[in-house]
Amino acid sequence: HYTNDVDVQSPDEWQAGAEFHAGSWWPRWGKWLAKQSGKKTDARKVGSADFPVICPAPGTYVVAKPKL
């Protein structure tokens, strides 16, 4: 993936000044996102009397095969 922090006028100009980074962009994005975000909190508890949990995550629909 490529990065370029310079404010440019065109995609070609951006590409010409961009730096190549081998590997996935996800770790870099995760570090950037962490700096932009607030303090981490625990996930909320799911389910209630009105809306009980049906099954553990990620759910059965993830593995369901469509009927053709």
Side-chain angles (χ1 to χ4, degrees):
H1 64 281
Y2 292 85
T3 61
N4 186 347
D5 294 333
V6 177
D7 188 18
V8 295
Q9 298 299 311
S10 73
D12 292 332
E13 193 177 351
W14 182 91
Q15 180 70 47
E19 178 183 354
F20 175 75
H21 305 275
S24 174
W25 59 271
W26 280 95
R28 181 181 299 273
W29 181 75
K31 288 177 187 175
W32 176 87
L33 187 60
K35 291 178 186 176
Q36 312 305 312
S37 303
K39 179 178 86 167
K40 286 188 175 186
T41 61
D42 292 334
R44 67 178 179 85
K45 301 293 182 203
V46 297
S48 69
D50 291 332
F51 301 100
V53 175
I54 298 171
C55 64
T60 56
Y61 73 92
V62 174
V63 294
K65 296 185 189 266
K67 295 178 183 178
L68 301 176

